[in-house]
Amino acid sequence: VQLQASGGGLVQAGGSLRLSCAASGIIYAPNVMGWYRQAPGKQRELVASISGGSTNYEDSVKGRFAISRDISKNTVYLQMNSLKPEDTAIYYCNVERRGTTAYTYWGQGTQVTVSS
């Protein structure tokens, strides 16, 4: 199984980026797909997740970020608008499946840097 994340980069405050993460080699479709981030010296935190028709966001990104997915492509996206310097971090995608065929996979991380 491979999760290939892309779309990170350097952007000025107020700008936008769109992250993508494509999962390949998965036999059973994930129940949950999400994005986490880890800033220097901080713990990894959940940014957003999507499960079925439900989405969940970390408070600081509500109204600015939007998560979506293409089930047919096993791909999850994170549209990030109105970026702030405090959004600077390495962003990791994650897919999970629960039950008897449970799994958890992580992408390699993509750097997002927001300059002030």
Side-chain angles (χ1 to χ4, degrees):
V1 174
Q2 284 191 327
L3 272 65
Q4 185 65 46
S6 61
L10 172 64
V11 64
Q12 288 188 333
S16 298
L17 286 173
R18 187 185 192 222
L19 305 183
S20 299
C21 178
S24 59
I26 288 181
I27 297 176
Y28 299 101
N31 299 121
V32 185
M33 304 180 81
W35 289 94
Y36 290 70
R37 66 186 179 188
Q38 187 167 17
K42 295 187 177 181
Q43 290 188 333
R44 189 174 298 188
E45 64 176 358
L46 176 65
V47 176
S49 65
I50 183 166
S51 177
S54 299
T55 57
N56 178 56
Y57 295 95
E58 194 270 328
D59 286 345
S60 70
V61 308
K62 287 180 179 177
R64 300 189 296 122
F65 291 10
I67 189 170
S68 61
R69 69 178 182 178
D70 185 332
I71 296 174
S72 66
K73 297 180 180 179
N74 276 336
T75 299
V76 61
Y77 306 95
L78 186 67
Q79 178 67 43
M80 305 186 294
N81 300 324
S82 302
L83 282 161
K84 303 176 181 180
E86 51 263 42
D87 294 319
T88 295
I90 299 175
Y91 284 70
Y92 299 89
C93 57
N94 167 274
V95 296
E96 296 181 11
R97 182 175 174 87
R98 299 159 184 164
T100 57
T101 54
Y103 59 73
T104 299
Y105 297 114
W106 291 91
Q108 83 282 12
T110 184
Q111 177 72 47
V112 172
T113 303
V114 184
S115 63
S116 58

